[in-house]
Amino acid sequence: MCWRSGQARRTVLALLVGMIALGGCLVLVGAAAAATSQPRHVWYPLVVLGGAAGLIALVIRPAMRRRFAADELRRIDALDAHARS
């Protein structure tokens, strides 16, 4: 199966929002574990993985939205140029 560029735009953006939510939940669970005096090997992976996932998704999401918007404008320009000729 061959995917065209921008075909799964809604799925990609939804997955990024899911990554932000999941990362936030992991950080909260890790913070709760740390607050209840759990050993470091219990809470540390939750905080690190959740923080990394959330931060990466937060940084990537605006860039992906701009990329998809630019692709859409390029597609519209191509259709307009084809219609004029």
Side-chain angles (χ1 to χ4, degrees):
M1 176 184 332
C2 181
W3 291 90
R4 291 181 315 177
S5 177
Q7 189 172 1
R9 171 182 33 225
R10 185 174 293 169
T11 304
V12 169
L13 294 175
L15 286 172
L16 286 172
V17 170
M19 272 181 69
I20 294 167
L22 182 62
C25 290
L26 287 174
V27 168
L28 288 176
V29 169
T36 59
S37 301
Q38 294 292 321
R40 183 176 174 161
H41 67 272
V42 172
W43 61 265
Y44 188 74
L46 296 171
V47 172
V48 170
L49 291 175
L55 185 63
I56 289 170
L58 276 172
V59 169
I60 290 176
R61 189 170 183 266
M64 291 301 295
R65 289 177 61 99
R66 283 191 304 270
R67 170 72 188 265
F68 287 139
D71 287 346
E72 183 70 15
L73 285 175
R74 204 170 16 258
R75 187 184 69 81
I76 290 170
D77 286 343
L79 288 174
D80 287 345
H82 180 66
R84 283 182 285 194
S85 56

